[in-house]
């Protein structure tokens, strides 16, 4: 029997949203968070919190750190959504789940590879008249962070909708 799609959508969106926050803030390493936007033109100096050793990172390390973050982020979503769906009696079609996770992974990498002057979110902010908000880092606000979150929430919604394709009750 086909599961009630709106209920499945709501469940999967809630599960992936919770997993996204965990993946972004608890699972992501300090190194990845700081280095994922590094480029040769805008290198990042990272200081290890334990050894206090400083290292300089460019494009290759930035891409690798962003890739590592997106892999752990997507794995967190897969685990939480998979276990949650099972607990709720939802059987997600494997192809739909893979497509949803691919959307999440790809859009997350595109947004989080924030090379100054070249990152997708910064370019979108510029094209939509949100440059000042993107650069806002005052009054307890961080515009880039909020635009990043809105981007992720939107794509998580699309991914959750895709994941409902062919979902069934257990």
């Amino acid at each position: 029997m086909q599961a009630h799609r709106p209920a499945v959508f709501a469940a999967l969106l809630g599960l992936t949203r919770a997993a996204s926050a965990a993946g972004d803030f608890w699972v992501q390493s300090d190194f990845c968070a700081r280095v994922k936007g590094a480029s040769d033109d805008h290198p990042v100096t990272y200081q290890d919190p334990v050894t206090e050793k400083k290292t300089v990172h460019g494009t290759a390390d930035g891409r690798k750190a962003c890739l590592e973050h997106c892999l752990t982020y997507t794995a967190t979503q897969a685990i939480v959504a998979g276990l949650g769906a099972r607990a709720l009696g939802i059987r997600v079609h494997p192809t739909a789940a893979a497509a949803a996770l691919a959307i999440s992974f790809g859009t997350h990498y595109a947004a989080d590879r924030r090379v100054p002057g070249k990152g997708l979110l910064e370019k979108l902010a510029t094209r939509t008249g949100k440059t000042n908000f993107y650069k806002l880092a005052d009054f307890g606000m961080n515009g880039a962070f909020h635009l990043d979150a809105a981007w992720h929430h939107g794509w998580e919604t699309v991914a959750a909708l895709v994941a409902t394709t062919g979902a069934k009750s257990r």
Side-chain angles (χ1 to χ4, degrees), residues 6 8 13 66 68 84 90 139 151 170:
V8 170
L13 181 58
C66 194
E68 181 182 322
I90 300 167
F139 310 108
W151 169 270
R170 290 192 174 275

Side-chain angles (χ1 to χ4, degrees), residues 37-141:
S39 70
D40 293 339
D41 293 335
H42 298 279
V44 170
T45 300
Y46 177 76
Q47 183 173 352
D48 186 290
V50 176
T51 66
E52 296 187 8
K53 179 182 177 187
K54 290 183 180 181
T55 51
V56 179
H57 303 276
T59 301
D61 290 338
R63 288 178 178 155
K64 184 178 175 187
C66 194
L67 177 64
E68 181 182 322
H69 164 56
C70 291
L71 287 171
T72 60
Y73 171 90
T74 306
T76 302
Q77 284 187 315
I79 292 165
V80 170
L83 292 174
R86 185 165 189 81
L88 294 170
I90 300 167
R91 186 183 310 250
V92 179
H93 192 280
T95 303
L101 291 169
I103 289 167
S104 183
F105 176 88
T107 59
H108 202 87
Y109 185 93
D112 276 24
R113 188 73 181 106
R114 260 189 250 159
V115 176
K118 297 181 182 179
L120 174 66
L121 289 182
E122 185 176 358
K123 287 180 180 180
L124 285 172
T126 299
R127 288 187 186 135
T128 59
K130 298 287 184 192
T131 301
N132 288 339
F133 185 71
Y134 182 85
K135 293 180 179 181
L136 177 65
D138 207 350
F139 310 108
M141 290 282 294

Side-chain angles (χ1 to χ4, degrees), residues 147-169:
L147 291 174
D148 175 271
W151 169 270
H152 294 323
H153 293 184
W155 284 109
E156 287 160 7
T157 303
V158 171
L161 186 60
V162 168
T164 66
T165 306
K168 300 185 186 286
S169 298

